[in-house]
C-alpha cells in the first residue's frame, strides 16, 4: 500500500518529525511477571488495539484478548495487560483512514512461525547456561587484526559428510569433535584450527523467503528481512515456539566465543522483503520506505524498495536494532548490506552508541553508490567516496578484488593472479590498504571473493579455460597471499581455502546461488581429503598464522603505512616486491619483511637487500616456521609468492 503521505514530503518534514519522533527505547512489548506493557508507534492511526493469541501461526484464530490502546506521546499508543504473558503471541490492530490493518510488531523481539505474529518474552529465559559470563574472546583486537570468514548457517553443516547432527541449524555450531568421512575435523573445530578470528554470518535475522514450516523446500541467502530483531526460524529446531530460535542463536554465539571466535552479523537495513506488507509500513503507511514523487518505490537496492533511513523514526529504529543485537546476543561486528543506501548520520550514530558501550565491535559494509531517491535534501550516503566522513566504518574494496581476478562484470576477463598485464601500478596502493577512495587501511576490507558472484576458484576456472587444477590452485594461492599480506582487513568466503566450487548437478558453475539448492551451496567437507584442496587449505592456514605473527601487516593508519612501505623498482614483468620496514612498529619482532609476488609464468630473480633473510612463504608453503635462510639473490618460482623476514 503506497500512501500519498509518503511522497508529498510530509513524513520527512520538520513539522512531522517534531510532532512524532519518539526517542525512548520502550517500543514493543515490555514483559514483567505481573503485567506486560505494549507500545507502538502509529501516528496516523485513529484507533489501536493489541490482540493476544495462543499460537504464533497466523492460521490459528484462538484469541486470548483484545485490549484497546490509549493514544500517548509522540504518535505512540500504549496498553498494559495484566498477568504473566511470556509465550503469548500478539499483533496490533490499527484503524488508519477508516481502514483496519492487523500487523506484527515492528519492534518484536520474538515471533511465531514465519514471523507473522510477535511473542511476549521474558528474555532471561532464553539465556543459555553461562551466558552472563559470555563475551567477545577477541576484544583486544583492532579491526585490522581481524581475519574474517564469511559463512551461511545452512551451508556450514548441511552436507551429509559434515559430521554434524544439527544439519542446517544454529546448534551445529555447538558441536565439537565432528569429522568428515576421512576423520578430518569439520565444524567449529575446523574453524578454530584455521585460525580465523571472526565468523561473519550471512543473514540470521528473520527473513521471508523460506517457509519455516517446510525449511527443506527452498534455500535462500536471506537478504529479505521480515523481522529485524528476531533470529530466523529455519535455523531453529522449532520455529513455532518464539523462545527456541533465540536460545539456540545465543548457544551458537556462545559456542563460537568459547572457541575463540567472534561473531559478525550481516544486516540488511537497506530494504525489506516486501515493502507493502512489511509490518512497519502497515502501521505507518509507506513510512519505512523511500517513495519517489511519482509514487513509485525507489529501487536503488534492486530488491524492490529502499529504506528511508533519513527519517527520524527509521533512523532510531536502525540504531536501536543494532544496539539490541549487540547487547542481547553479544554480537561482535556488523556487516551492512548495501550501506550506500543508508545516510551517514545513521551510521555514525549507531557506531558511536555501540562503541561507547563496546569499543571492540567492528563495522563494515558495501559502500557502492546506488541510484536511490532520498526524501530529504543534503543527505550524504555511506559510500566509499564518503569514507572520510564515517571514520569507524570500513568498506569492501572492490578495487583489489577486480585487480586480482578481473572485473566482476566480465567473467572471462583475467586478473593479476592469472596473467592480466598492466595492473601493477594500481595494485600498489591497494596492497598498502589505500585504494583511491580510502583514507586509512582500517577502513578497507581486502577480499578476492564473497557470497556474491563467482567464488575465486570458479572465476579462475572460467577465465582461465583449460588450466589444470594445479595451475588454478597456484592462481588461488597468489590471490590469498595478496589478501593476507596486504594492509587492511582480510576477508575470505567460507570454503575458498579449499577450492570451494558452486556447481549444479549438471556440473554447471552457478554465479548467483542465492536461491540454489544445497547441492550448489553446501560446504563439501570431504573435499578436505583431496590433495590439492588440502594443500590450499594448509597454505591459507599458514598465511593466517604468519599475518597474526606480524603486526607490520596490520598497520592502522595511512601514515604508518607510508612510512614503512617501500616498493622495489624495475622487476621482471608484472612481479611486485615490497619491503616493510618494521623496526619502529610496535609489537613487531621482525626488522624487515619482504613480500615478492610473481604472477609470471617464468621464474623471477630478485637481488635481496643485504644480510641474511629467513623464508616463511614459498611455493605451496606458508607459516611461521622458517623454510630456509638465504642471502644475495633469490629465485621466485612462477605464479607464486615469497615472503622473507629479517
Ligand atoms: Ca523466516
Amino acid at each position: 500500500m503506497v500512501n500519498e503521505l509518503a511522497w508529498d514530503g510530509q513524513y520527512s518534514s520538520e513539522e512531522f518529525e517534531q510532532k512524532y519522533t519518539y526517542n525512548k527505547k520502550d517500543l514493543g512489548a515490555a514483559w514483567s511477571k505481573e503485567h506486560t506493557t505494549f507500545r507502538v508507534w502509529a501516528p496516523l492511526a485513529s484507533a489501536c488495539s493489541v490482540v493476544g493469541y495462543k499460537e504464533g501461526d497466523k492460521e490459528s484464530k484462538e484469541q486470548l484478548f483484545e485490549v484497546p490502546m490509549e493514544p500517548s506521546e509522540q504518535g505512540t499508543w500504549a496498553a498494559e495487560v495484566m498477568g504473566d504473558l511470556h509465550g503469548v503471541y500478539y499483533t496490533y490492530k490499527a484503524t488508519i483512514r477508516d481502514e483496519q490493518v492487523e500487523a506484527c510488531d515492528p519492534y518484536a523481539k520474538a515471533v511465531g512461525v514465519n514471523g507473522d505474529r510477535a511473542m511476549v518474552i521474558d528474555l532471561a529465559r532464553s539465556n543459555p547456561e553461562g551466558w552472563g559470563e559470555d563475551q567477545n574472546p577477541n576484544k583486544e583486537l583492532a579491526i585490522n587484526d581481524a581475519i574474517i570468514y564469511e559463512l551461511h548457517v545452512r551451508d556450514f553443516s548441511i552436507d551429509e559428510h559434515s559430521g554434524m547432527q544439527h544439519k542446517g541449524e544454529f546448534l551445529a555450531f555447538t558441536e565439537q569433535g565432528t569429522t568428515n568421512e576421512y576423520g578430518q575435523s569439520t565444524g567449529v573445530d575446523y574453524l578454530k584450527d584455521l585460525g580465523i578470528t571472526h565468523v561473519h554470518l550471512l543473514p540470521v535475522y528473520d527473513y521471508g523467503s523460506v517457509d519455516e514450516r517446510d525449511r527443506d523446500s527452498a534455500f535462500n541467502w536471506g537478504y529479505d528481512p521480515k523481522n529485524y530483531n528476531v533470529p530466523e526460524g529455519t535455523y531453529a529446531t522449532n520455529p513455532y515456539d518464539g523462545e527456541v530460535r533465540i536460545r539456540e542463536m545465543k548457544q551458537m554465539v556462545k559456542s563460537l566465543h568459547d572457541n575463540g571466535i567472534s561473531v559478525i552479523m550481516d544486516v540488511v537495513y537497506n530494504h525489506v522483503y516486501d515493502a507493502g506488507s512489511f509490518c512497519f509500513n502497515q502501521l505507518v503507511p509507506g513510512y519505512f520506505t523511500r517513495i519517489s514523487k511519482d509514487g513509485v518505490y525507489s529501487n536503488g537496492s534492486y530488491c524492490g524498495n529502499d529504506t528511508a533511513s533519513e527519517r527520524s523514526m527509521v533512523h532510531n529504529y536502525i540504531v536501536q536494532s543494532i544496539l539490541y543485537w549487540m547487547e542481547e546476543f553479544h554480537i561482535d561486528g556488523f556487516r551492512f548490506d548495501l550501506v550506500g543506501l543508508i545516510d551517514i548520520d545513521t551510521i555514525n550514530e549507531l557506531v558511536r552508541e555501540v562503541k561507547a558501550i563496546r569499543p571492540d565491535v567492528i563495522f563494515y559494509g558495501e559502500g557502492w553508490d546506488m541510484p536511490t531517491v532520498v526524501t530529504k535534501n543534503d543527505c550524504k550516503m555511506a559510500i566509499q567516496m564518503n569514507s572520510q566522513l564515517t571514520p569507524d566504518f570500513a568498506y569492501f574494496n572492490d578495487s583489489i578484488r577486480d585487480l586480482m581476478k578481473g572485473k566482476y562484470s566480465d567473467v572471462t576477463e583475467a586478473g593479476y593472479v592469472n596473467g592480466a598485464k598492466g595492473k601493477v601500478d594500481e595494485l600498489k596502493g591497494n596492497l598498502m590498504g589505500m585504494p583511491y577512495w580510502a583514507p586509512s587501511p582500517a577502513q578497507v576490507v581486502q577480499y578476492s571473493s564473497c557470497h556474491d558472484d563467482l567464488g575465486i576458484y570458479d572465476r579462475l576456472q572460467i577465465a582461465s579455460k583449460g588450466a589444470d587444477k594445479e595451475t588454478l590452485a597456484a592462481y588461488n594461492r597468489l590471490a590469498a597471499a595478496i589478501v593476507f599480506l596486504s594492509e587492511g582487513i582480510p576477508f575470505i568466503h567460507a570454503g575458498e581455502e579449499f577450492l570451494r566450487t558452486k556447481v549444479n548437478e549438471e556440473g554447471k558453475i552457478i554465479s548467483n546461488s542465492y536461491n540454489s539448492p544445497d547441492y550448489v551451496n553446501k560446504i563439501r567437507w570431504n573435499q578436505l581429503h583431496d590433495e590439492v584442496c588440502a594443500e590450499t587449505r594448509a597454505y591459507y592456514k599458514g598465511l593466517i598464522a604468519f599475518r597474526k605473527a606480524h603486526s607490520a601487516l596490520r598497520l592502522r593508519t595511512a601514515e604508518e603505512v607510508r612510512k614503512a612501505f617501500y616498493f622495489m623498482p624495475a622487476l621482471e614483468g608484472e612481479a611486485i616486491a615490497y619491503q616493510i620496514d618494521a623496526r619502529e612498529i610496535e609489537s613487531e619482532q621482525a626488522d624487515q619483511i619482504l613480500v615478492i609476488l610473481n604472477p609470471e609464468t617464468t621464474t623471477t630473480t630478485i637481488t635481496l637487500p643485504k644480510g641474511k633473510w629467513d623464508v616463511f612463504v614459498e611455493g605451496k608453503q606458508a607459516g611461521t616456521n622458517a623454510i630456509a635462510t638465504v642471502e644475495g639473490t633469490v629465485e621466485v618460482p612462477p605464479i607464486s609468492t615469497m615472503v622473507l623476514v629479517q
Side-chain angles (χ1 to χ4, degrees):
M1 180 168 58
V2 175
N3 187 287
E4 68 268 22
L5 270 175
W7 68 80
D8 73 0
Q10 270 204 60
Y11 281 152
S12 293
S13 69
E14 259 185 64
E15 191 194 352
F16 188 91
E17 297 214 325
Q18 272 191 8
K19 207 166 161 191
Y20 295 123
T21 299
Y22 185 75
N23 287 320
K24 292 182 199 160
K25 293 177 177 171
D26 60 350
L27 286 161
W31 172 91
S32 77
K33 206 160 180 52
E34 295 74 36
H35 56 79
T36 292
T37 308
F38 296 88
R39 186 181 289 273
V40 62
W41 187 68
L44 304 192
S46 55
C48 262
S49 61
V50 54
V51 187
Y53 292 97
K54 193 161 183 299
E55 307 285 339
D57 192 330
K58 71 174 175 187
E59 306 302 326
S60 161
K61 304 292 177 202
E62 195 177 335
Q63 209 169 296
L64 299 175
F65 56 79
E66 177 167 356
V67 176
M69 302 177 86
E70 298 295 324
S72 182
E73 49 192 301
Q74 306 295 114
T76 64
W77 296 74
E80 192 175 278
V81 180
M82 298 308 287
D84 181 353
L85 266 52
H86 173 82
V88 167
Y89 293 87
Y90 70 97
T91 58
Y92 293 125
K93 272 187 188 165
T95 308
I96 298 162
R97 293 179 174 170
D98 303 327
E99 268 185 64
Q100 200 172 68
V101 295
E102 181 173 3
C104 189
D105 185 354
Y107 295 82
K109 292 188 163 73
V111 294
V113 68
N114 284 328
D116 293 318
R117 285 178 184 165
M119 188 189 94
V120 177
I121 185 164
D122 165 16
L123 280 164
R125 297 190 211 185
S126 68
N127 293 345
E129 215 185 308
W131 189 242
E133 289 72 53
D134 175 71
Q135 56 173 333
N136 182 6
N138 298 304
K139 64 179 177 191
E140 308 305 326
L141 300 188
I143 190 167
N144 301 62
D145 302 326
I147 291 161
I148 301 171
Y149 192 81
E150 185 203 39
L151 182 58
H152 186 278
V153 169
R154 188 174 169 95
D155 294 355
F156 181 59
S157 55
I158 201 72
D159 178 26
E160 58 178 311
H161 304 300
S162 71
M164 291 172 252
Q165 301 292 313
H166 287 281
K167 291 193 167 50
E169 295 176 350
F170 289 134
L171 291 183
F173 288 83
T174 66
E175 297 182 45
Q176 294 195 273
T178 62
T179 58
N180 66 8
E181 251 190 323
Y182 303 97
Q184 296 168 292
S185 280
T186 62
V188 169
D189 291 351
Y190 170 84
L191 297 178
K192 193 175 173 180
D193 177 69
L194 187 59
I196 53 142
T197 62
H198 289 66
V199 158
H200 151 163
L201 296 168
L202 264 70
V204 288
Y205 54 75
D206 177 34
Y207 57 79
S209 53
V210 179
D211 185 354
E212 295 178 3
R213 277 174 266 239
D214 184 13
R215 66 181 180 193
D216 295 325
S217 63
F219 172 92
N220 212 284
W221 284 341
Y223 292 90
D224 41 68
K226 187 157 171 179
N227 288 286
Y228 276 108
N229 301 316
V230 181
E232 164 58 17
T234 56
Y235 302 145
T237 56
N238 177 0
Y240 295 90
D241 179 343
E243 192 181 322
V244 173
R245 60 179 77 188
I246 298 174
R247 181 184 310 105
E248 292 178 350
M249 182 165 158
K250 286 176 175 174
Q251 284 177 269
M252 169 182 72
V253 171
K254 182 164 188 307
S255 173
L256 285 164
H257 282 173
D258 289 346
N259 283 284
I261 299 169
S262 310
V263 182
I264 296 169
M265 260 181 83
D266 193 337
V267 289
V268 186
Y269 294 103
N270 69 83
H271 71 274
V272 296
Y273 181 42
D274 180 68
S277 65
F278 180 52
C279 52
F280 203 122
N281 278 342
Q282 291 213 355
L283 293 164
V284 196
Y287 182 87
F288 200 82
T289 303
R290 292 181 185 137
I291 297 168
S292 75
K293 289 195 167 58
D294 314 319
V296 296
Y297 290 122
S298 170
N299 190 20
S301 67
Y302 297 101
C303 293
N305 61 88
D306 301 338
T307 295
S309 65
E310 66 276 17
R311 290 186 174 138
S312 59
M313 287 301 285
V314 181
H315 167 98
N316 284 357
Y317 186 86
I318 296 172
V319 173
Q320 287 173 22
S321 177
I322 290 289
L323 281 165
Y324 175 70
W325 285 109
M326 182 266 289
E327 289 183 315
E328 186 63 34
F329 287 84
H330 304 179
I331 298 298
D332 312 305
F334 295 93
R335 177 268 187 195
F336 278 69
D337 188 63
L338 299 182
V339 73
L341 292 169
I342 299 177
D343 64 286
I344 60 169
D345 291 344
T346 299
I347 292 300
N348 282 334
E349 185 172 331
L350 67 88
V351 170
R352 196 166 48 241
E353 290 211 22
V354 167
K355 294 238 178 216
I357 303 165
R358 275 188 49 196
D360 54 302
V361 175
I362 63 174
F363 296 91
Y364 55 97
E366 295 180 301
W368 327 134
D369 192 358
M370 311 297 277
T372 190
V373 184
V374 187
T375 67
K376 286 183 186 174
N377 295 327
D378 306 323
C379 259
K380 287 196 174 72
M381 299 288 121
I383 57 173
Q384 284 176 341
M385 291 307 286
N386 288 336
S387 52
Q388 230 147 1
L389 304 173
T390 57
D392 283 323
F393 194 96
Y395 296 89
F396 282 98
N397 183 10
D398 53 335
S399 310
I400 204 166
R401 179 197 71 194
D402 289 359
L403 284 164
M404 274 192 273
K405 65 176 186 182
K407 281 255 177 311
Y408 78 97
S409 48
D410 177 4
V411 297
T412 62
E413 190 184 298
Y416 179 79
V417 303
N418 56 339
K421 307 293 176 203
K423 308 277 188 190
V424 171
D425 284 344
E426 207 187 330
L427 200 49
K428 286 179 178 172
N430 280 279
L431 291 164
M432 295 168 78
M434 285 186 283
Y436 66 96
W437 50 266
S440 151
Q443 287 187 266
V444 178
V445 176
Q446 306 282 37
Y447 72 121
S448 72
S449 60
C450 66
H451 66 278
D452 275 323
D453 304 315
L454 293 164
I456 178 74
Y457 187 72
D458 284 341
R459 170 66 187 239
L460 293 169
Q461 283 195 71
I462 289 176
S464 297
K465 252 200 178 84
D468 60 19
K469 194 169 177 179
E470 284 280 355
T471 307
L472 293 170
Y475 295 152
N476 199 138
R477 283 196 296 273
L478 197 48
I482 289 171
V483 167
F484 289 113
L485 301 171
S486 61
E487 301 293 341
I489 308 145
F491 170 106
I492 60 173
H493 184 44
E496 73 161 72
E497 75 278 15
F498 54 100
L499 309 180
R500 181 178 185 178
T501 176
K502 292 181 186 172
V503 292
N504 66 13
E505 295 193 49
E506 288 78 51
K508 185 175 179 285
I509 293 172
I510 305 298
S511 163
N512 183 1
S513 66
Y514 79 101
N515 65 354
S516 300
D518 294 331
Y519 187 88
V520 175
N521 280 300
K522 68 183 174 190
I523 306 277
R524 295 175 148 76
W525 289 102
N526 271 355
Q527 226 173 284
L528 283 171
H529 189 65
D530 173 275
E531 195 186 335
V532 182
C533 293
E535 280 170 2
T536 310
R537 188 203 67 92
Y539 189 76
Y540 270 75
K541 182 181 166 179
L543 288 173
I544 289 169
F546 184 82
R547 182 181 178 88
K548 281 175 154 178
H550 293 283
S551 60
L553 297 169
R554 299 180 267 116
L555 300 175
R556 297 173 192 184
T557 66
E559 202 189 339
E560 286 175 288
V561 175
R562 282 196 202 98
K563 211 172 132 197
F565 261 64
Y566 166 75
F567 285 92
M568 289 172 80
L571 301 182
E572 295 161 48
E574 303 289 308
I576 297 176
Y578 54 97
Q579 190 175 338
I580 306 172
D581 183 347
R583 285 172 299 180
E584 284 174 27
I585 295 168
E586 212 181 310
S587 62
E588 172 60 73
Q589 304 298 312
D591 285 342
Q592 304 289 338
I593 297 174
L594 179 60
V595 177
I596 307 161
L597 305 168
N598 180 23
E600 297 290 335
T601 52
T602 52
T603 299
T604 294
T605 306
I606 305 263
T607 305
L608 296 171
K610 66 172 193 285
K612 286 193 162 85
W613 293 82
D614 292 326
V615 180
F616 287 87
V617 178
E618 184 185 21
K620 294 175 184 175
Q621 285 177 278
T624 49
N625 297 320
I627 302 161
T629 302
V630 294
E631 64 180 310
T633 60
V634 283
E635 301 213 319
V636 185
I639 320 170
S640 76
T641 302
M642 188 178 278
V643 180
L644 307 99
V645 174
Q646 210 170 48

